[in-house]
Amino acid sequence: MSQLPKLRSDRAPLFSTAITHLQQLQVFPSSTIAQFYAQARWQYPKVQTYLQMLDYLRLLTLEYLQMQQTMQPISA
């Protein structure tokens, strides 16, 4: 049976900062990238897949950090 890593209370501000950053992060921060994404669908399908996976990884990381933040600190 594996144990979850201990969550130290001094990491709480780091989790909050990372969560806020990931929530505000935009995959398409400029209209140029958004236009390229829409137009490249047929010419560059791997680029589209890469950008989708990048956003998915952002969401997974966000979910993981939120779960870690809600865990109660474990005293040593």
Side-chain angles (χ1 to χ4, degrees):
M1 208 170 163
S2 66
Q3 292 181 332
L4 293 173
K6 293 181 180 179
L7 176 64
R8 295 175 30 201
S9 60
D10 62 337
R11 292 184 184 171
L14 295 175
F15 284 131
S16 295
T17 302
I19 288 170
T20 301
H21 177 72
L22 288 170
Q23 287 173 332
Q24 295 174 351
L25 190 64
Q26 296 179 5
V27 176
F28 307 114
S30 72
S31 61
T32 303
I33 295 174
Q35 287 174 350
F36 173 77
Y37 179 81
Q39 294 171 355
R41 183 179 318 164
W42 307 112
Q43 291 180 328
Y44 305 103
K46 289 184 180 182
V47 172
Q48 184 181 29
T49 301
Y50 172 76
L51 292 173
Q52 289 171 344
M53 291 300 290
L54 189 62
D55 192 45
Y56 181 68
L57 179 60
R58 176 188 68 87
L59 294 173
L60 284 177
T61 304
L62 178 60
E63 182 178 357
Y64 173 78
L65 289 174
Q66 288 172 332
M67 287 175 31
Q68 292 295 314
Q69 187 181 40
T70 58
M71 291 177 60
Q72 294 296 323
I74 301 171
S75 59

